[in-house]
Amino acid sequence: MTDEQKNVGHPRIFPRNLTARAAFVVRGNPVNSRPESGVDNTHPGLEFDQRNLDKTFFPGLEFEFQYLHGARLKAIRREQFERPNELTPADATGEIYLYYLYGAFGAQPAAARLVELHRADGSTDGYEVLRTVHDLEPGRIMVVIGTKDPSDLMRLGTGAFAIWQALEDPEQYLESQPAPGIFRDPETGRLLAAILVGNRAEYLDTNGMISLAAVPPGDLTRSLCAPWQWDFADCGCHYWAANKPDIVIGSDGDKQTLNFQRARGSNGTTHDKSVDPRKYADWIEQQMTQPQMISGWESLPFVIAERETDRAPARLPQALQLKWSRETIVREFRYLATIEHALAVEYLYAFYSLKAPLTPPSDTADPMVLDIFTAAQVVRSIAVDEMRHFRWVNEALQLLGAELCLERAEEFKRNDTDEQIRGKFELAPLTNERLQFFIDIEAPSKVWNQEEKLDGLYTQLLNALGNPDADLNLQMRRRLREIVKLIIDEGHSHWERFTHVQTLLSRYQPKEYLRVTEGPVERSTDPADVTNLRILADWNYLMVLRDIAEAFLHQPGTRNEHITDARRTMYNLDDTAVELAERGFGMRFKWNVEDLKDPQEKARSVNDALAELNQSSDHRVHRIAQNALRPLVRKSDHPSR
Amino acid sequence: MNVANAETLVFQSALGSHLFVTDGSRIYDLDADSAAALASADAPSMDSTLRRLGIADGARYISTEAPPLPDLHALSLTIAQACNMGCGYCYADEGRFGGAARMMPLETAMAGVDRLIMESQPGSDIVLGFMGGEPLLNRSVVHDTTRYAHKAAQRAGRRIRFSITTNGTLIAPEDAALFAAHPFNVAISIDGDRAENDRVRRMHNGRGSYDRIVAGLATLNRHGRPKHLSARVTVTPKTAELARTLDHIIGLGFDSVGFAAVLTSPNPALALKTTDFGRFLEEMIACGRIALGRLMAGERYPFSNFETALHEIHRGTHRPYPCGAGAGYLSANADGGLFACHRLVDDPAFAMGDLSSGSDRARRSQHLKHSHVDRMAPCNGCWARYLCGGGCYQEVAKRGRVGCDYIRGWLAFCLASYAELSQVRPEYFDGAPASIAAGLRAHTLAE
C-alpha cells in the first residue's frame, strides 16, 4: 500500500494481483451512470427524459413542456421558493404559462438576455422552450408567468406596468432586489400573472449527485418509453423505422401521401385526407395521440410495399423445386444480363425523349414543367436501377466463375431456351403506348413463375438457386440468392413508378412533353453535327461498357480507376445524348460486341467525328468534344491518341 | 508473522501486511487494522469479516464438482524405454519403468500423433513430448515423428509444439537442427558443475556426463538453438548449496533453470527425508532472494521455480489439481498404452486407454472426480491448496504428502516476493517475456 493508501482512517484494502483486481467490488456508481454521460433526449428519452431534469428549473415552480404551447405551470411548491411569496398550490390549476425568462444562456454566458417564450399567436413550440431552459446558466434569473390568454394581462392595472418595467430593463429590476410580484384578478382572486426572481436550480448538488430536492426519485425516468406505445407514437428519430412507416399509400389509393399514424375512427375509418408532408403542423394535427396509440395500436394496418393492407403477403409454394444444373443457372444469368442491358438502354432512350429541364425547376415554375421533370427523373432512376441490376447479374456471373456478359438482348423470350419471341428490343420515345408496354412488362406476376413477366424470370432463378444439388456451395448459393432477391424487390417498385409517370403525363399532350418523336432513324438530310454527335454518343456508350468490364476484371484496389473512367464517360454520354435530344434526335446506342475487344478500329471513325465537333461554333457542342478529348485516367484506346 | 487458516493467509512483506485469499488466489494489501482483524478472526467469523471488507461475496471460484473432462492437448511419447545412463534416483528406473527395455516403433509414435490430433479441439494448440528413458536413443523415430506431426497438425488445423527431455549426452548436429526447425522446448537434466553433476549422473561405464552435456550445449549453439532450452536440476540430500549450482547452470547459457527434489527413488538414499526439507526450503529461499534482488534491479535471472511461481501468483492461478495429468495431458508407453503422465507410465492404477482405441474417458473423468484437492486430506484444510493442487500424483501415490510444509514455506516466500516485486517493478509482469511464457509451458511437461 502506498503512503496515501495507509493514511486514511477507514479500512483500506488494495487489490494487488489480477484476480483480486477483477473481483474488486467498487463502491458507488460507475462513471457511466452519471447524468452527464447519459444518452438523453426527449423522444421521450433513452436513459432519462431531459424534460424532467429541467421542469423545476425555478425552485418553487414546476413546469411541463408541451408540444404546441410551451411551458405550462403544473405545480407550486411554496417551501422551495427562495423568497416567500403568496403563491399557493391552487394557483397552478389555472392555465398558467411561462412567458418570459431572463438570464444568461450557454451560447453567451456573460451577457444575460430576455427571451419570450409564450407567444400570443400560440406559435410557441415546447421544444424551443425546453432547449432554452436547458441552456440556461446557473445564477440569478427572472421569470414572468401568466395566463394562457395574453389579454388577461390587460386587467392587471398597475401590475401590468410593473411587468413592463421589469421587461424593459431586467438587469435593473434584478438589482433592485424586488419583492415577488403577484397579480390577481381583483374580482375572483384568480392568478393572472407573476414576476419572480430566484436562482436557477441546479440538478446536481455539490457532490455531483442528482439533487433530490430538484428531482425526486423516479422522476427522471417516469416518462420514458413506457408503455412502449408512447415511445412508438412519439419517436421522431426513426428508431422504430422498420415497424413504423411514416408515409404510406392508402389501401385503395395510388399516391404515397398518407401519415401512417393518422387518427383512425372507432369503426376503422381513417382520415384519408392527404397532407403535404412539408407542413408539419398539418401532419401532426391528424396524428393519433399517445393515449389513442396505447389503446388503438392494434388497429394499425400492415404496410407492404408502402401500401396499407390487411392481407398477409403471398408466399411462394414450397412444393416445386426447380432442378437446374449449374450450367443452366449460368446460362439464365447470362440471359438476364442481356435483358437488363436492353431495358436500361430502352429506358434511357425513353428518358432522353422527354422534354425535361436539366435541373429541378423551382417550386413556382409551371406545373407542367414540374410534372414532366418529375416524370423524367423517375424514368431515369428506373434506368439506373436496371444498370445496377446489370452490374449485379454480372457480379453473380463472376461469383459463379463464369465470363462476364455485356451483351444486349435483341429479343425478349421467356427464358434462354424458349423459342417463342414475346417482344423485340426497340428504341422508342415515351409515348403512352410505349409507357403502357413498360408498365405491363414490369407488372408483378400473377403467379410466381409467370414467365412473361420479368420478375417471373427472376423468381424462377431464385427457386432454382435453392436446389441443394446444383453443385454450388452454400455460401455461393446464399450470396446469389441475395442478389436475385434484391433485383426482385427493386423491380417491384418499377411498376408503381411507371404508373406514377403515366399519371403525371396523362394530363398533357405528347407534343408537350416529347422532344424526340421517333426512333433513331438516320436520314441523309440530317445535319453533320447530328451525325457526328451520334458517332460520339455511340463511342461513349462503348467506352462505358468497356470501362465497366475493366472494372470487373480488376481487384478492388485498382478497380477504382476504371470506375472513375466509367463515370466520366457516362457523363460525356449523357451530355451527348441530351445535345442530340434537344435537336430532336435520339442516340442510336449502336454497337458491336466485337468492338469491345478491339476499339482501335472504331476509334478511327470517332476521331474524325470528334475533330469536326471540335470546330463547332456551338459552345455546347465544342464543350462535349473537349470533354471527350480530356485525358482519361487510363490512356490507352482513347481516340485522340 | 503469517497467520493462516483454510481460506486465507495473512502474510508480511517489506510493504506491510497482505491477505491471500485461497479461493481465486487473490492478493490484497491490508492496512494495520484490517490485518489485525483478519489475523484474529477465527474460521467461522472469517467469512463475515471478508464480506465486511468487501472482499468476499459468497461466490466461489472453485467448485467442489470436478470440471467436465477437457479435450486432450498434450501427449508425451515414451519413445525409448531405455537409457544410456544410470542415475540412481530416476523415476523411470533407467527408462525401463520396472519392465524390459524397449523402443517405441515409428507406427506407434505416429499413432500417438494421430490420437493427439483426434482428441484435441480444432484450431487448438497441442504439445507433443518425447520422453524416456533417453529419447535420443531412438533418434530416427524422434525425427520422423516430428516431421510427421508437423504435417499432420497443419492438415488438421492444429498449432503444434514439441518438447523433449534429454540427458544431453547424445545431441547430434542433426538433432540440434531439428530442434531449431520446429518449435521445440528442450529440457536437459543436469545437476550442477562437473563435481556435483557427475556424482550421481553417470554413464553406464561409470564416466561422468558433464562434459558430454557441455558438448551437447555447444552443438546446440552451433547447429541450431531451440526455441527454449531449459535445465532441470534434481536435488538429493547430498546436493551442494543450491545457489551456487543455480548460478553455475544459468552461466552455461540455459534459458531457464529449475530444481526438482527427489521424493521417490529406486535408491532410497537419494530421496529427501522429512528432515531434509528444512534445509531444502532454506536453500530455495536463498536462491529466491538472489533472484528477487536481480529482478528488482531490472536484470534477468531465470530461476524457473521462482519465476513460474511469481507469474502464477500475479495471474491468480487457482486450480484444484496439481497438473494436467489424466485431464488434458496423457503419456504413451512404447507399446501404445496410455497413462496419466510420464511418471506413471506402466502403472496400472493410472492406465487410461491406448492409442488405437483411444483414451479411456471414463477413467479420466473418474480420476478428476477423485483427485479434486478439496476431497483430499490434509489438503482441504490448507490455504495453499489451489496453488499447489495436492502434489504430484506419482509422488503422493508412492510416498504420500511429505512436502506440505516445504510447499507452504516456499509459496509464502513467493507471495511476499511478489508483493515487493510488483510494487517496485510492476512492468516485470506486463506481458511475460517469451522465455518465461515458454518456461511456464515447459514446466507442465518437463517438471
Side-chain angles (χ1 to χ4, degrees):
Chain A
M1 232 184 304
T2 64
D3 286 340
E4 187 209 48
Q5 284 156 350
K6 283 190 213 148
N7 282 342
V8 186
H10 44 272
R12 288 306 215 115
I13 317 285
F14 175 66
R16 183 158 279 280
N17 74 344
L18 295 185
T19 39
R21 284 188 223 156
F24 199 61
V25 177
V26 176
R27 299 204 189 287
N29 294 327
V31 70
N32 57 356
S33 65
R34 301 179 65 78
E36 52 267 31
S37 61
V39 178
D40 50 347
N41 59 26
T42 58
H43 276 278
L46 288 173
E47 285 199 354
F48 61 88
D49 189 337
Q50 264 190 22
R51 291 176 289 193
N52 298 335
L53 212 49
D54 283 313
K55 58 187 170 55
T56 53
F57 77 94
F58 191 95
L61 304 177
E62 181 184 322
F63 292 96
E64 284 284 5
F65 300 99
Q66 298 181 336
Y67 260 161
L68 289 174
H69 307 297
R72 177 176 165 172
L73 186 63
K74 188 186 168 213
I76 287 176
R77 299 207 171 80
R78 296 173 49 86
E79 66 280 6
Q80 289 181 3
F81 282 124
E82 207 181 283
R83 261 184 91 155
N85 59 53
E86 16 130 340
L87 286 172
T88 69
D91 289 326
T93 53
E95 287 200 79
I96 308 288
Y97 286 85
L98 178 62
Y99 267 71
Y100 292 97
L101 173 57
Y102 176 78
F105 298 90
Q108 284 171 315
R113 61 190 173 90
L114 185 71
V115 180
E116 184 182 5
L117 293 171
H118 181 76
R119 287 191 265 279
D121 64 359
S123 65
T124 317
D125 171 13
Y127 274 122
E128 194 193 315
V129 178
L130 172 62
R131 281 188 206 112
T132 308
V133 167
H134 194 63
D135 218 22
L136 185 61
E137 292 282 301
R140 302 282 305 145
I141 59 173
M142 175 184 85
V143 299
V144 175
I145 58 177
T147 56
K148 186 174 185 182
D149 181 358
S151 65
D152 277 348
L153 290 175
M154 295 301 123
R155 307 162 64 166
L156 283 178
T158 52
F161 179 69
I163 292 180
W164 300 145
Q165 214 180 17
L167 293 177
E168 272 293 299
D169 193 344
E171 198 55 45
Q172 219 235 338
Y173 181 77
L174 280 181
E175 268 169 40
S176 67
Q177 307 221 10
I182 315 291
F183 308 102
R184 296 180 181 283
D185 184 325
E187 282 153 42
T188 60
R190 175 171 75 98
L191 176 69
L192 292 177
I195 176 165
L196 301 168
V197 169
N199 272 317
R200 194 234 199 273
E202 297 191 60
Y203 49 79
L204 291 181
D205 64 21
T206 47
N207 287 321
M209 307 294 288
I210 293 185
S211 158
L212 286 175
V215 188
D219 229 38
L220 282 180
T221 53
R222 72 173 171 84
S223 51
L224 279 185
C225 314
W228 69 265
Q229 296 91 334
W230 191 282
D231 184 45
F232 188 79
D234 258 16
C235 183
C237 67
H238 311 295
Y239 175 80
W240 294 84
N243 29 17
K244 193 177 94 159
D246 45 14
I247 308 178
V248 296
I249 310 174
S251 50
D252 302 324
D254 63 350
K255 280 213 232 297
Q256 193 173 354
T257 52
L258 298 179
N259 182 358
F260 176 67
Q261 274 181 255
R262 61 195 182 280
R264 319 243 169 192
S266 54
N267 57 356
T269 59
T270 65
H271 273 279
D272 273 353
K273 176 177 167 226
S274 290
V275 288
D276 181 350
R278 288 180 289 187
K279 297 215 169 65
Y280 180 64
D282 286 354
W283 186 253
I284 62 170
E285 192 195 312
Q286 297 165 23
Q287 202 156 273
M288 290 165 80
T289 62
Q290 290 90 341
Q292 282 173 333
M293 183 62 83
I294 290 170
S295 54
W297 67 276
E298 284 153 313
S299 67
L300 291 173
F302 290 108
V303 177
I304 296 171
E306 276 86 83
R307 178 182 299 278
E308 291 182 342
T309 176
D310 52 10
R311 288 188 310 109
R315 302 192 79 75
L316 286 179
Q318 290 298 318
L320 307 150
Q321 172 62 64
L322 291 174
K323 299 255 189 240
W324 290 357
S325 67
R326 190 196 180 111
E327 290 83 54
T328 310
I329 288 173
V330 169
R331 226 178 33 235
E332 193 68 8
F333 268 119
R334 294 188 72 81
Y335 174 65
L336 284 166
T338 65
I339 298 285
E340 296 293 354
H341 186 175
L343 287 175
V345 166
E346 285 189 345
Y347 294 160
L348 268 183
Y349 192 93
F351 161 65
Y352 288 123
S353 74
L354 288 173
K355 199 191 305 187
L358 289 170
T359 51
S362 74
D363 285 352
T364 50
D366 179 1
M368 182 177 79
V369 175
L370 274 168
D371 283 345
I372 296 174
F373 177 78
T374 308
Q377 287 306 305
V378 174
V379 174
R380 189 178 87 113
S381 71
I382 298 175
V384 167
D385 280 0
E386 303 299 6
M387 291 178 216
R388 186 166 52 248
H389 298 171
F390 171 68
R391 189 190 80 189
W392 284 346
V393 172
N394 272 299
E395 275 180 14
L397 283 170
Q398 233 184 1
L399 264 178
L400 286 160
E403 261 190 52
L404 297 178
C405 178
L406 297 171
E407 294 163 40
R408 189 173 78 195
E410 291 300 319
E411 297 156 342
F412 296 98
K413 298 183 279 189
R414 176 170 55 194
N415 58 38
D416 188 38
T417 55
D418 187 9
E419 288 307 316
Q420 269 187 292
I421 293 167
R422 290 152 203 277
K424 282 179 93 66
F425 170 77
E426 196 193 336
L427 294 175
L430 196 61
T431 59
N432 197 47
E433 293 75 35
R434 187 75 178 145
L435 186 48
Q436 189 59 50
F437 171 68
F438 289 161
I439 290 169
D440 290 340
I441 202 173
E442 295 275 11
S445 307
K446 295 272 185 309
V447 296
W448 71 277
N449 58 351
Q450 185 173 358
E451 287 144 351
E452 292 83 8
K453 306 289 181 199
L454 191 59
D455 69 343
L457 297 173
Y458 279 109
T459 322
Q460 282 193 314
L461 188 53
L462 187 65
N463 177 298
L465 283 169
N467 176 16
D469 297 327
D471 186 29
L472 300 168
N473 73 42
L474 184 64
Q475 227 176 353
M476 190 186 297
R477 270 198 287 128
R478 277 202 189 125
R479 181 82 192 101
L480 291 170
R481 282 172 63 90
E482 267 171 32
I483 290 175
V484 173
K485 274 190 218 172
L486 267 172
I487 295 176
I488 294 175
D489 283 344
E490 286 201 352
H492 273 160
S493 73
H494 290 180
W495 169 69
E496 283 169 349
R497 284 145 78 191
F498 273 135
T499 309
H500 183 51
V501 170
Q502 196 177 48
T503 311
L504 284 167
L505 295 178
S506 63
R507 305 166 189 163
Y508 312 106
Q509 297 299 315
K511 66 176 188 322
E512 291 177 284
Y513 57 80
L514 286 177
R515 61 185 172 191
V516 175
T517 51
E518 57 178 1
V521 179
E522 293 178 61
R523 298 186 178 87
S524 52
T525 48
D526 292 337
D529 267 1
V530 170
T531 311
N532 288 329
L533 283 170
R534 279 201 184 117
I535 293 172
L536 183 59
D538 290 342
W539 169 256
N540 281 327
Y541 171 51
L542 184 72
M543 284 296 103
V544 168
L545 288 172
R546 223 280 295 264
D547 290 334
I548 291 171
E550 294 272 318
F552 265 111
L553 292 171
H554 279 73
Q555 293 305 310
T558 49
R559 187 179 291 168
N560 291 339
E561 294 177 359
H562 301 285
I563 292 180
T564 309
D565 276 357
R567 195 176 293 130
R568 198 174 289 158
T569 314
M570 191 70 210
Y571 282 130
N572 289 350
L573 178 135
D574 193 49
D575 285 345
T576 319
V578 166
E579 193 56 39
L580 273 170
E582 289 195 342
R583 289 154 199 258
F585 296 92
M587 64 179 275
R588 298 175 300 187
F589 285 103
K590 190 160 148 188
W591 75 315
N592 194 323
V593 74
E594 296 308 312
D595 291 334
L596 262 184
K597 296 183 188 125
D598 182 17
Q600 292 299 350
E601 264 307 309
K602 195 95 195 128
R604 272 184 267 280
S605 64
V606 183
N607 256 336
D608 297 334
L610 253 187
E612 286 186 25
L613 288 172
N614 209 13
Q615 310 291 331
S616 175
S617 52
D618 183 330
H619 71 280
R620 283 202 324 237
V621 171
H622 184 73
R623 182 173 59 86
I624 284 171
Q626 284 297 305
N627 284 348
L629 287 170
R630 209 177 335 144
L632 300 174
V633 177
R634 290 171 314 98
K635 296 182 173 57
S636 57
D637 300 318
H638 193 277
S640 65
R641 265 143 191 82
Chain B
M1 179 59 205
N2 293 354
V3 178
N5 58 40
E7 297 302 326
T8 60
L9 170 75
V10 176
F11 66 94
Q12 311 297 321
S13 79
L15 309 176
S17 299
H18 309 273
L19 173 67
F20 172 80
V21 179
T22 301
D23 188 48
S25 297
R26 291 171 283 152
I27 296 169
Y28 300 88
D29 296 351
L30 299 172
D31 64 297
D33 294 331
S34 309
L38 283 165
S40 59
D42 54 14
S45 65
M46 180 58 73
D47 203 39
S48 58
T49 311
L50 290 177
R51 274 178 206 265
R52 196 168 41 80
L53 294 171
I55 287 171
D57 61 355
R60 298 282 298 182
Y61 284 73
I62 304 261
S63 155
T64 47
E65 295 288 311
L69 188 66
D71 287 321
L72 206 55
H73 83 270
L75 181 74
S76 65
L77 303 172
T78 315
I79 214 104
Q81 288 191 224
C83 191
N84 59 339
M85 290 173 66
C87 312
Y89 50 55
C90 180
Y91 64 76
D93 181 30
E94 300 186 28
R96 292 182 296 245
F97 286 96
R102 51 203 194 282
M103 299 294 171
M104 183 183 274
L106 179 57
E107 295 74 44
T108 310
M110 285 164 58
V113 174
D114 294 339
R115 180 53 55 190
L116 173 59
I117 287 175
M118 236 190 291
E119 295 201 22
S120 59
Q121 267 278 348
S124 61
D125 293 340
I126 54 176
V127 188
L128 185 71
F130 298 104
M131 315 210 49
E134 172 47 50
L136 288 174
L137 281 176
N138 200 358
R139 171 178 287 109
S140 63
V141 173
V142 171
H143 282 243
D144 292 343
T145 308
T146 301
R147 280 186 279 272
Y148 174 75
H150 171 80
K151 283 205 210 89
Q154 235 175 19
R155 270 201 306 275
R158 310 285 195 271
R159 277 188 304 275
I160 191 165
R161 282 181 282 120
F162 301 92
S163 86
I164 185 164
T165 304
T166 171
N167 57 33
T169 61
L170 294 172
I171 298 176
E174 63 263 27
D175 301 326
L178 183 80
F179 300 153
H182 297 275
F184 256 92
N185 171 50
V186 175
I188 294 182
S189 304
I190 176 172
D191 283 358
D193 58 18
R194 186 183 293 108
E196 265 303 293
N197 181 73
D198 290 347
R199 216 161 15 82
V200 181
R201 296 191 67 82
R202 284 198 216 125
M203 315 304 296
H204 278 310
N205 60 13
R207 308 269 277 265
S209 57
Y210 183 84
D211 290 331
R212 296 179 64 145
I213 293 172
V214 170
L217 289 175
T219 306
L220 289 172
N221 281 322
R222 193 172 346 157
H223 294 278
R225 217 182 136 92
K227 205 161 179 202
H228 190 86
L229 179 64
S230 57
R232 176 223 170 88
V233 182
T234 306
V235 176
T236 70
K238 301 208 176 64
T239 303
E241 194 203 350
L242 293 183
R244 206 159 48 80
T245 296
L246 179 61
D247 224 45
H248 175 84
I249 299 181
I250 289 178
L252 289 176
F254 285 94
D255 294 326
S256 64
V257 181
F259 291 111
V262 181
L263 263 54
T264 61
S265 165
N267 177 354
L270 293 173
L272 263 59
K273 299 185 286 299
T274 42
T275 47
D276 293 320
F277 279 107
R279 184 171 78 98
F280 181 49
L281 179 62
E282 272 171 27
E283 301 220 5
M284 286 289 283
I285 289 179
C287 291
R289 288 205 211 286
I290 294 169
L292 182 64
R294 305 284 281 267
L295 296 177
M296 296 260 236
E299 294 165 22
R300 199 177 155 268
Y301 199 76
F303 173 25
S304 71
N305 303 73
F306 187 54
E307 293 206 293
T308 303
L310 285 175
H311 283 281
E312 300 219 314
I313 290 170
H314 175 64
R315 290 203 312 267
T317 305
H318 48 275
R319 41 181 158 77
Y321 302 103
C323 65
Y329 167 55
L330 290 174
S331 193
N333 71 4
D335 305 322
L338 285 170
F339 298 86
C341 76
H342 50 280
R343 292 176 73 108
L344 291 164
V345 162
D346 286 350
D347 184 336
F350 289 91
M352 293 191 176
D354 61 73
L355 291 181
S356 48
S357 51
S359 72
D360 186 340
R361 294 179 65 86
R363 183 75 192 81
R364 285 162 68 201
S365 299
Q366 192 194 28
H367 164 74
L368 284 183
K369 197 159 158 219
H370 177 79
S371 316
H372 193 295
V373 78
D374 283 344
R375 304 176 89 237
M376 302 284 168
C379 305
N380 48 19
C382 171
W383 63 265
R385 65 185 180 282
Y386 299 140
L387 292 174
C388 158
C392 168
Y393 295 126
Q394 190 261 341
E395 289 174 349
V396 168
K398 217 51 199 291
R399 192 169 167 190
R401 294 188 172 91
V402 294
C404 295
D405 288 332
Y406 159 75
I407 290 176
R408 279 190 287 263
W410 171 245
L411 287 173
F413 165 73
C414 291
L415 283 169
S417 304
Y418 167 73
E420 293 163 17
L421 184 62
S422 64
Q423 186 68 22
V424 167
R425 206 158 277 282
E427 64 273 18
Y428 171 78
F429 296 98
D430 301 335
S435 62
I436 301 296
L440 276 173
R441 287 196 288 270
H443 187 72
T444 55
L445 269 193
E447 234 188 316

